[in-house]
Amino acid sequence: MSYQVELLPSGIVFEVNEQQTILDAALAQNIAFPNRCQVGACAMCLCRLKKGTVTYQLEPLLTEKEQALGWVFACQAFATTDLVLTFEE
Ligand code: FES
């Protein structure tokens, strides 16, 4: 099963399958996705969910408020639906 991820503001669209994180999927398709540690520590890959839902194998260190605002660690998150993610503030 794979899902479609749209990145804003660039409008880039890529596919992610159930076994790969959003970051892994983007990098595998040569998409310049901000990242550094790839283990959920540096917060470079933080973006916000505008549409859809994600799941984690290891819950990232986000407060309930941050989760409610839709912050996502792309290097740790797996898509469970089609997604729209934004890097806009
Ligand atoms: S790449 Fe460092 S937290 Fe995701």
Side-chain angles (χ1 to χ4, degrees):
M1 182 86 196
S2 67
Y3 302 104
Q4 205 169 59
V5 181
E6 180 177 359
L7 296 181
L8 298 178
S10 63
I12 290 170
V13 175
F14 62 97
E15 296 272 314
V16 55
N17 68 42
E18 284 174 321
Q19 289 90 40
Q20 60 189 168
T21 64
I22 295 165
L23 178 66
D24 281 342
L27 296 182
Q29 290 163 81
N30 289 321
I31 289 157
F33 201 107
N35 74 92
R36 192 178 320 144
C37 70
Q38 303 191 6
V39 293
C42 73
M44 283 280 289
C45 66
L46 264 190
C47 50
R48 266 191 319 131
L49 199 57
K50 285 207 118 171
K51 221 196 261 174
T53 55
V54 296
T55 186
Y56 295 97
Q57 279 173 354
L58 280 177
E59 284 294 327
L61 295 171
L62 287 170
T63 64
E64 270 176 39
K65 193 170 163 218
E66 287 164 338
Q67 294 209 15
L69 287 171
W71 289 106
V72 169
F73 276 94
C75 67
Q76 301 296 301
F78 296 85
T80 51
T81 63
D82 287 345
L83 303 176
V84 179
L85 297 172
T86 182
F87 289 101
E88 291 166 325
E89 287 304 307

